[in-house]
Amino acid sequence: SKPSRHEIYTSALHHADRAPYSMLFSERKKTDKVDISEGLRSYICSHYSDSIANSHLDALTSLNQLREDVRAISDKSDVAKDLLFRYYTQLSLLSFRFPFAESSVRVQFVWYDVYKNKKATNFSIHFERASVLYNYAATLSQLAASQQKSSDDGIKRANAYFQAAAGAFQGVRDIVAEHPECSQAMDLVPEALQMLTTLMLAQAQECFYLKAARDKMKDAIISKLVAQVGDYYEQVASLLNGPALKSLVDRTWHAQAEILVLHYKSLAQVKGCAGLPEAMKYGEQISRLRLALGFATEAKKKLGRGTNLEIKEAVEHNHALVDKTLMLAEKDNDTIYHDPVPPDMKLDAIEKKPIVKPTPLPDTAAVEDPFSTIVPYQVQEAAVRYAETRDNMVRSEQRALADLNELARATLSSMNLPGAIEALEAPTGIPPALQSKINEVRNDRGMQLVTELMETLSTLSTEDTRMLKSALVELDKEEKDDDALRAAHGGRWQRTPSHTLTGTLRQEGAKFSGNLEHAIKSDSFVAKKFQEHSAYIMALQTGEGEVLKLLPANDLITGTTLEDVINLKRYLGELDALVARREALRTELSEMSNNDNIASKLLAQQHKPHEDVFEEELRKYNDIKSQLRTNATTQESLLEAVRVENERFVAGRQQDSIAQRREQVLQALSNAHKAYTELKANLREGIQFYTNFQEILSQFERKCKDFIFARDQEKQDLLEQLSTPPPQQAPQPSTQAHSARPPSYSPQQPPAQFYPTAPSPVSQAPSAP
């Protein structure tokens, strides 16, 4: 049977969705061979040391080879894409760590633009980063354009690649915006990068439209997708015709963008006709088809000999369909419907619906940095300041925590708790709670354990003090020797005085001395606590016989109600749980502080004020601090409840001297057990501190020895020059007799292993009881 008009219109709408044409992509930039390693090695030697530079030779060689591999890329593949991004990531890490510039890390990067093949050179590593990221984006665009879009999988892959390319080109534009020196290359001007970003989005949206058409989505939805494609191409055409790109980009791109703007505007109007005949809006249908035909006619006029064949076919096919459909619609309206045709300016605009967006660059947080041990001096200083601020906060919290523990202990002691309850519950013999304490101390061999821990602590403290003193004495000897030679040779001894060069090392040594002083003071508190409780700890270790000798029996305790005891024990149990929770928070705070090294974050945020980074990083301690505040408030309420309940408890029982003595001994034994538990924790914490501190002091010793060795070599060279008479035919040189490389540890050129990169020892010192 003959098809209806509705079927003809519907067929025309669906046949407008043609197979995709060849899409646009960017070529990759070209570069010359550049040696990065030599400039980096020279900088590391002069600002750190030869040994540090030599330890990174493999990393420098690998970096050079990675650049050569990138330079040699000739295909469009995922392997090429990944190689480019790997090199870009390494460059980003280097930019945080080293100051690439003509006056510091001197490496001249060379690149040629993709439009005119014009050479551009720059000493900025950001120029290299922008160029490499551009090639990463270009490779993504090539992968997208090469996908077979006749299949669903091909369209999906192309869509993903185009969105990723848009994100990469946008990333290049961000680099150039932050580092304007990059825009000396014509293909890195903001307009060119914005054009490519928008072009990639246009083609990604096209892929989405083609998939929607293939899935036979409603034409009302497809019209919005198509309208957005046309809008993207209109932005592209506007940028291409602007003053920055008009004479730069190949004219075929201009022509293709202009044709596609008109083609997709036409197609959007065609799709916008969907449902109009059914709604009996014949006049609006004709108006939209006329508008579509106008766009299609203009697109057809712009077709030329250089137009892509697939685009030409798509435009001509769309023009023929619209022309035929409009003719039929006008004929039907003239003979049957007589619906008024509104002018096109009264038509509602086709709604645009963007579905695509630039995909962010892949995450690089887990990428290994081969130069991670080299920390810039400014970052080291900032890390020191942060560590001091953090450690002051931690010490303040630990002091407050120790005060809370002491308040709880003193308050309970003044009420003979829990001794009074134990005396009541077990008027003779050994109470069960005390028996468990005896078992624990006896099984630990408590006195011997504490004594051994204290001996270990003392040995480590002595060795740490010796190491620091030895290093500082050697610095003093070197300075004394330098002063003596300067006095002996007068103006001929032309080298930098030692005290000028050792300022950083001496400042570091003074900090370590303060750390040791604090730790030794904490050790004295621990020793005093052991002395106060050693007799009762020994009694607990000796066992039941010795404890019973100290503990009088009393069979006369009466009068106290069971309810008083139950309430008091409940409050004491809650207080014990509160103290245990506080101790867990103290451990958590200490561990968090010991593992808190923000050097890498400071590196990654060098353009952000350090104080802002400090503030952000210190916020992670707020939760623990808040819990400690809540804990303190809860303890205050609990101690008051214990006081009130203890008054009832005391009032309800009959006391005599034997009962009082029994309570006092039980309380003393309970206090001794608590002190024993704290002693073990404090001593082990102190041993851990001194052990960790030895590693830090060992590094400090090495730095001092390296400095002294370099100065000694310099001294020998200078003495040799002074002992050699000058040639008679030439005057005495007037230049200073410095060595080829100045010592590594001047205030301007500190060593890479500067102390702040290690955990701060202050926060690890044993806390005072």
Side-chain angles (χ1 to χ4, degrees), residues 660-728:
Q660 289 177 356
R661 175 60 185 156
R662 183 175 177 83
E663 286 179 14
Q664 290 168 357
V665 173
L666 285 170
Q667 187 61 42
L669 289 167
S670 177
N671 291 345
H673 176 265
K674 185 173 182 180
Y676 168 70
T677 303
E678 291 173 353
L679 282 166
K680 288 192 297 180
N682 290 341
L683 288 167
R684 284 169 177 156
E685 186 178 8
I687 288 169
Q688 184 65 49
F689 161 72
Y690 284 120
T691 302
N692 291 342
F693 204 34
Q694 274 192 9
E695 296 178 15
I696 295 168
L697 292 174
S698 178
Q699 292 177 9
F700 180 67
E701 270 191 316
R702 283 197 299 273
K703 286 193 286 186
C704 292
K705 287 178 181 177
D706 287 348
F707 169 78
I708 293 167
F709 177 79
R711 290 283 284 180
D712 187 60
Q713 292 293 109
E714 186 182 51
K715 178 184 76 173
Q716 297 304 327
D717 292 344
L718 188 51
L719 286 172
E720 186 177 342
Q721 291 178 34
L722 292 174
S723 65
T724 304
Q728 294 183 2

Side-chain angles (χ1 to χ4, degrees), residues 95-97 376 379 601-610:
S95 71
F96 295 140
R97 207 170 293 283
V379 173
K601 294 178 181 177
L602 289 167
L603 270 173
Q605 303 180 67
Q606 288 192 66
H607 302 296
K608 193 172 187 178
H610 289 152

